[in-house]
Amino acid sequence: MECDAAICVRPGEDLVIDRIRVEPPREGEVLVEIAASGLCHTDLTALDGSNATCVYPLIPGHEGAGSVIEIGKGVTGLRPGDHVIPLYGPECGTCRMCASGRTNLCWSIKATRDKGVMPDGSARFHRQSETVHHFMGTSTFSRYTVLPEIALAKIRADAPLDRACLLGCGVTTGIGAALDDVRAGDRVAIFGLGGIGINVIQGARLAGAAEIIGIDINASRMDLGRSLGMTQFIDASMEGARTVEAIRDLTEGGADVVFECTGLIPVMRQAFDSTAPAWGSCVLLGVEPKGAELAVPPVGLRYGRKLKGSYFGGVKGRSGLARFVDLYMEGKIVIDPLISHRLSLAEVNQGFAMMKSGAALRSVIVFE
């Protein structure tokens, strides 16, 4: 099968739109036609070369939704026509991580995924005679892509795919992390109101937070944040070093839970320092630069503060993602206002330029 795809030939260059050949699915694999794919900051790690697991050339994209076209031998849980969301974090159900009940991480195919190939060690994409590698096991910037069955979440057929695609990363990560850590009545602070942080607001509201403080250098995010449940906004470009003090003033000494969604090390430290002594939790959601390290005073941890991370909001994709689709379809969470731009595949580079400039909150590539 042939289709158009956005290819990152080498880091530091614009994506190239070109024709590729997609091989049929092999054992345990599924061929999916992607209807739409969101542009996420994590994709930039492939474009700028900061992702150590990338093998070039590759097809980026990990926030997609589509329909099953063909299944390989041994696939039992999916059929052609099923609507699905690709998962960069699979769920095999049998490995030690899955069986532990303690994590949504599943590293059953991590070794091959991080080499840009399928579990059997080969790629399904080719550009003329050249192999094109997979990205995060998903590669949703191709009209057709192949994934292991364990890396696909089946969703209800009436969910619009051009909106449900955002549940493949940003929306679920933000809402899921908040539902994991926020208690009713908590005071919550969120550093960075991009595609993840804006959804932490939604999750904190659902969890019953009494106060939700958003922090960003872009004041244009304030109105959307307030419409989703944010109660206070701090303009970090104005407050600068006083940002932590401003949060402490608003929360009588520190927030119960603070979410860091920028991936910037200095901001991570601000987030930790903004938590309440003795019980405050700092949750890291932003992706840090390669090789980065974070220093915090041990006394802050010894006195009871917590520093933790969250991967895909703690959600197990195959068994848990359908719940978030239901929340959207029931009107309990919103997705439509989060989409600032709808683009064709040919406009993908424009989309990333808008992301980097702050002109776009979430752009969606629509194939149909």
Side-chain angles (χ1 to χ4, degrees):
M1 179 176 289
E2 291 189 349
C3 68
D4 288 336
I7 303 169
C8 182
V9 177
R10 58 186 62 85
E13 298 181 1
D14 281 351
L15 294 169
V16 174
I17 310 301
D18 205 352
R19 203 76 176 162
I20 64 165
R21 186 174 76 258
V22 184
E23 293 183 6
R26 300 182 187 178
E27 185 168 359
E29 300 175 358
V30 178
L31 174 67
V32 175
E33 181 178 13
I34 298 296
S37 181
L39 273 61
C40 178
H41 276 86
T42 304
D43 295 313
L44 287 176
T45 66
L47 275 58
D48 64 20
S50 62
N51 190 326
T53 66
C54 288
V55 182
Y56 301 89
L58 58 78
I59 299 172
H62 65 284
E63 194 176 62
S67 303
V68 173
I69 299 299
E70 183 181 350
I71 60 173
K73 182 180 178 182
V75 172
T76 58
L78 293 170
R79 292 289 181 268
D82 286 344
H83 284 190
V84 291
I85 292 177
L87 303 170
Y88 58 87
E91 182 185 351
C92 74
T94 58
C95 71
R96 184 185 179 192
M97 286 180 167
C98 288
S100 72
R102 301 182 178 189
T103 180
N104 67 324
L105 290 176
C106 171
W107 284 357
S108 59
I109 57 173
K110 188 177 188 301
T112 50
R113 192 200 71 166
D114 289 354
K115 293 178 181 177
V117 293
M118 297 296 287
D120 70 353
S122 63
R124 300 292 170 268
F125 304 127
H126 298 277
R127 183 191 188 198
Q128 297 177 0
S129 61
E130 180 182 36
T131 295
V132 180
H133 294 87
H134 302 246
F135 173 70
M136 296 181 70
T138 51
S139 291
T140 56
F141 290 171
S142 172
R143 180 66 183 266
Y144 294 98
T145 188
V146 179
L147 301 97
E149 180 184 14
I150 63 171
L152 286 165
K154 182 179 176 180
I155 63 171
R156 54 197 285 178
D158 59 340
L161 296 175
D162 63 335
R163 281 149 277 178
C165 64
L166 296 190
L167 290 164
C169 185
V171 174
T172 304
T173 297
I175 295 175
L179 292 177
D180 260 1
D181 282 284
V182 177
R183 301 181 183 183
D186 274 355
R187 294 169 172 176
V188 176
I190 304 151
F191 281 80
L193 301 183
I196 292 177
I198 207 76
N199 286 294
V200 175
I201 294 174
Q202 295 205 73
R205 184 197 74 235
L206 284 173
E211 190 168 7
I212 304 172
I213 304 166
I215 306 100
D216 204 290
I217 60 174
N218 189 345
S220 67
R221 302 285 166 83
M222 180 167 55
D223 289 343
L224 178 58
R226 288 191 182 281
S227 73
L228 297 177
M230 184 179 72
T231 58
Q232 301 280 349
F233 178 77
I234 295 174
D235 188 335
S237 68
M238 301 292 291
E239 293 292 344
R242 286 200 68 261
T243 298
V244 173
E245 184 179 344
I247 294 170
R248 289 173 176 170
D249 289 343
L250 288 170
T251 57
E252 296 182 295
D256 300 299
V257 190
V258 181
F259 296 89
E260 199 293 314
C261 307
T262 73
L264 301 173
I265 300 302
V267 178
M268 291 181 185
R269 177 59 193 271
Q270 284 186 314
F272 179 77
D273 291 343
S274 300
T275 60
W279 67 80
S281 292
C282 176
V283 183
L284 304 183
L285 293 168
V287 179
E288 74 284 355
K290 182 169 57 179
E293 295 185 356
L294 173 64
V296 297
V299 65
L301 297 168
R302 194 166 65 247
Y303 281 177
R305 282 186 172 114
K306 298 178 181 64
L307 179 62
K308 60 176 289 188
S310 179
Y311 182 85
F312 197 44
V315 177
K316 290 189 173 185
R318 293 176 75 197
S319 59
L321 190 54
R323 170 195 177 201
F324 290 81
V325 178
D326 289 341
L327 288 173
Y328 168 65
M329 296 299 289
E330 293 164 5
K332 295 177 181 176
I333 63 174
V334 300
I335 295 178
D336 304 49
L338 309 180
I339 302 173
S340 56
H341 297 80
R342 294 176 182 272
L343 308 171
S344 68
L345 183 64
E347 297 172 306
V348 65
N349 290 307
Q350 176 187 339
F352 280 115
M354 291 190 294
M355 176 192 294
K356 288 187 279 190
S357 70
L361 177 61
R362 214 53 159 195
S363 295
V364 172
I365 299 295
V366 180
F367 286 92
E368 297 179 335

